[in-house]
């Protein structure tokens, strides 16, 4: 008798090719439900609907389709237990050799604006998780696939093992099935719990060589069931990504996401930008970012918000870089970059979408906060000095403020011509950060802009900036001594703008 495969999927990627191979190469019979059965029928493949196989119609608007002894008996039967085989025979149940199931798109549904509770509830899959759990439990006797990425591997298993998947493969697939249902249930629980509970789970994508240091084991996990963010990136070339690479890439993504309308480039070292710039082209933006601090750029992480072209690729090969990410890379650029085969080149079409929360572990628990994704709006800023900013100065202030948001606090950023000139990051006092940023900018501070992620508690930094040639300052305000800083700015002829928003980054 032909082997039996049960196919019931929400995500139909690769479904038809898999089903055709099962039927034509390996003589499987197919049973299926709902839209999956229709898709197979439309493709000209022989398929029996679950309702016909069980002699029980779908009921409750499709809520009950596969919850039937002929389905679950066929999945859970142990082929080496005589009583199980007798039960199958007495109830005219065929053993099922393959279960292919993925689940209703619950996470995608609740991510949409305006989704109601009743709409979300209808996307809670019942039959799918039941079949996944049952078939994962019985991996000793059948295979379960819950991800289209597994299809070709399963077919290769059949081709290499005389039509049978190995026990090793089946156990690995069972683990993936349990992880899939666990992640799915956790997403539902988190949605229903709201802020009362916070659940965090992930599926390991790969072990990393080590963490921040060689003595620290590390791994990379994917959250949810859909590839998003860095899990959706394509690595065109280069060595395996490290823990530090991924942390720096995320820091680079956050900065580059601030700039969508103009070509932009940023170079990251230890999560801080050593050079960020805008340009008329991505080539110009990268050149400006690199020249902002060419010493620190050595071994850096580069993010570009436009495709890599040949001219930019040639510039990228002129120094040692760890990683480069851009929305895409043209063929000529790929060929040029291939000369630096160890450089990790990634493409990620969506560089703007990031996590809605940030999580930090502490002893006995963890902290969760909303991501700092406030969009800067210069129209809401308050000019508190007698001198008003010109249109050019206001645009420069906005650029400096966007970069400053992503520098470790205490953060000071000096810019000119939409390019960072000096960055003071992570100092224990703001005066120290001001000194570092101004010294790094050197003589270029004449006519430049200064941004501070927090308020100035005293006027000393304002006076230091003016002495160096700074003409305008943007800061959040909020100090009891704001009036002292404003008075100093007026005395020295500076523009001072208060944003009303603080951007500490610890």
């Amino acid at each position: 008798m032909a082997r039996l495969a049960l196919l019931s999927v929400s995500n139909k990627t690769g479904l038809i090719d898999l089903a055709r191979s099962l039927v034509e190469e390996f003589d499987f019979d197919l049973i299926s439900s709902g839209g999956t059965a229709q898709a197979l029928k439309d493709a000209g493949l022989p398929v029996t609907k679950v309702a016909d196989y069980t002699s029980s119609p779908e009921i409750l608007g499709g809520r009950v389709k596969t919850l039937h002894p002929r389905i679950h008996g066929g999945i859970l039967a142990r082929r080496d237990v005589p009583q199980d085989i007798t039960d199958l025979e007495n109830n005219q149940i065929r053993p099922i050799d393959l279960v292919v199931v993925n689940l209703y798109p619950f996470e995608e549904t609740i991510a949409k604006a305006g989704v109601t509770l009743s709409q979300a509830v209808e996307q809670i899959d019942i039959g799918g998780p039941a079949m996944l759990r049952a078939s994962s439990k019985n991996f000793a006797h059948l295979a379960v696939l819950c991800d289209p990425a597994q299809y070709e591997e399963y077919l290769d298993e059949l081709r290499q093992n005389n039509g049978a998947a190995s026990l090793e493969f089946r156990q690995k697939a069972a683990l993936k099935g349990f992880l899939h249902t666990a992640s799915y249930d956790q997403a539902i629980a988190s949605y229903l719990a709201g802020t009362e509970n916070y659940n965090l789970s992930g599926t390991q994508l790969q072990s990393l060589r080590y963490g921040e240091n060689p003595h620290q084991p590390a791994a990379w996990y994917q959250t949810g069931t859909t590839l998003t963010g860095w899990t959706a990136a394509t690595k065109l070339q280069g060595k395996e990504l490290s823990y530090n690479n991924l942390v720096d890439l995320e820091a680079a993504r956050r900065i580059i996401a601030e700039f969508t309308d103009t070509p932009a480039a940023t170079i990251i070292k230890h999560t801080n930008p050593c050079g960020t710039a805008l340009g008329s082209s991505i080539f110009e933006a990268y050149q400006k970012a690199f020249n902002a601090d060419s010493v620190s750029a050595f071994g850096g992480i580069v993010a570009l918000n436009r495709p890599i072209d040949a001219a930019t690729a040639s510039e990228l090969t002129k120094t040692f870089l760890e990683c480069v990410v851009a929305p895409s890379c043209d063929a000529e650029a790929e060929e040029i970059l291939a000369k630096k085969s160890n450089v990790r080149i990634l493409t990620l079409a969506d560089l703007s979408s990031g996590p809605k929360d940030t999580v930090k572990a502490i002893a006995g628990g963890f902290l969760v906060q909303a991501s700092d994704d406030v969009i800067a709006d210069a129209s809401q800023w308050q000019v508190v000095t007698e001198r008003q900013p010109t249109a050019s100065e206001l645009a420069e202030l906005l650029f400096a403020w966007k970069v400053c948001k992503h520098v470790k606090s205490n953060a000071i950023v000096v810019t000119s011509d939409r390019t960072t000139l000096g960055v003071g990051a992570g100092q224990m006092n703001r005066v120290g950060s001001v000194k570092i940023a101004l010294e790094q900018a050197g003589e270029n501070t004449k006519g430049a802009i200064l941004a501070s992620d927090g308020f100035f508690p005293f006027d000393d930094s304002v006076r230091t900036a003016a002495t160096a040639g700074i003409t305008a300052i943007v800061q959040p305000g909020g100090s009891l001594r704001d009036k002292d800083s404003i008075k100093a700015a007026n005395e020295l002829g500076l523009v001072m703008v208060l944003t009303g928003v603080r951007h500490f980054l610890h």
Side-chain angles (χ1 to χ4, degrees), residues 206 208 220 239-242 245-246 249 323 344 346:
Q206 65 184 79
L208 302 173
W220 181 9
K239 298 183 290 186
E240 287 297 317
L241 291 166
S242 71
N245 288 158
L246 288 161
L249 279 166
C323 306
R344 304 159 179 89
L346 295 91

Side-chain angles (χ1 to χ4, degrees), residues 86-354:
T86 299
D87 287 343
L88 293 182
E89 292 172 351
N90 290 341
N91 291 278
Q92 298 181 313
I93 297 173
R94 289 178 62 181
I96 295 174
D97 293 277
L98 173 66
V99 174
V100 183
V101 175
N102 55 58
L103 309 178
Y104 293 169
F106 180 81
E107 289 177 284
E108 291 87 338
T109 298
I110 61 174
K112 296 175 183 176
V115 171
T116 65
L117 175 61
S118 61
Q119 290 171 327
V121 166
E122 286 308 312
Q123 289 302 315
I124 297 176
D125 203 328
I126 300 301
M131 289 188 290
L132 270 181
R133 288 178 59 82
S135 49
S136 295
K137 174 178 179 175
N138 204 29
F139 70 84
H141 301 283
L142 76 160
V144 56
L145 308 177
C146 62
D147 184 345
Q150 297 173 290
Y151 296 173
E152 194 59 36
E153 186 180 0
Y154 173 72
L155 293 173
D156 286 343
E157 278 279 317
L158 298 186
R159 291 169 185 139
Q160 294 168 15
N161 296 292
N162 296 318
S166 66
L167 178 61
E168 180 184 12
F169 174 85
R170 299 198 307 270
Q171 183 170 343
K172 182 174 71 171
L175 171 60
K176 191 173 182 70
F178 281 122
L179 290 172
H180 189 39
T181 57
S183 175
Y184 192 78
D185 286 343
Q186 195 161 62
I188 296 167
S190 295
Y191 173 75
L192 294 176
T195 58
E196 294 180 14
N197 292 280
Y198 192 94
N199 299 307
L200 183 65
S201 69
T203 302
Q204 187 178 121
L205 286 179
Q206 65 184 79
S207 294
L208 302 173
R209 286 181 62 197
Y210 51 79
E212 288 179 306
N213 298 290
H215 62 275
Q216 295 173 266
W220 181 9
Y221 290 82
Q222 171 192 332
T223 56
T225 57
T226 303
L227 295 179
T228 59
W230 296 109
T231 65
T234 299
K235 185 160 72 73
L236 301 180
Q237 67 171 57
K239 298 183 290 186
E240 287 297 317
L241 291 166
S242 71
Y243 179 96
N244 289 335
N245 288 158
L246 288 161
V247 170
D248 284 337
L249 279 166
E250 177 60 13
R253 186 203 61 75
R254 288 197 297 266
I255 291 184
I256 215 69
E258 295 282 352
F259 308 103
T260 56
D261 298 333
T262 305
T266 190
I267 306 173
I268 297 291
K269 287 293 285 292
H270 308 299
T271 72
N272 283 305
C274 55
T276 302
L278 307 183
S280 59
S281 66
I282 199 62
F283 172 77
E284 181 188 22
Y286 173 70
Q287 276 194 321
K288 290 169 67 177
F290 177 80
N291 291 331
D293 187 354
S294 58
V295 173
S296 297
F298 184 85
I301 306 288
V302 175
L304 310 170
N305 71 345
R306 296 290 187 273
I308 306 173
D309 54 25
T312 308
S314 295
E315 286 296 302
L316 290 166
T317 62
K318 291 180 179 179
T319 192
F320 168 65
L321 299 170
E322 287 280 352
C323 306
V324 179
V325 63
S328 62
C329 182
D330 68 36
E332 189 178 357
E334 277 196 57
E335 187 175 340
I336 293 168
L337 291 166
K339 298 172 185 176
K340 294 277 189 175
S341 59
N342 285 336
V343 181
R344 304 159 179 89
I345 307 296
L346 295 91
T347 58
L348 179 58
D350 182 9
L351 284 163
S352 62
S353 298

Side-chain angles (χ1 to χ4, degrees), residues 451-469:
S452 172
D453 68 340
F455 60 64
F456 295 110
F458 304 101
D459 67 1
D460 48 0
S461 290
V462 177
R463 296 185 181 279
T464 301
T467 300

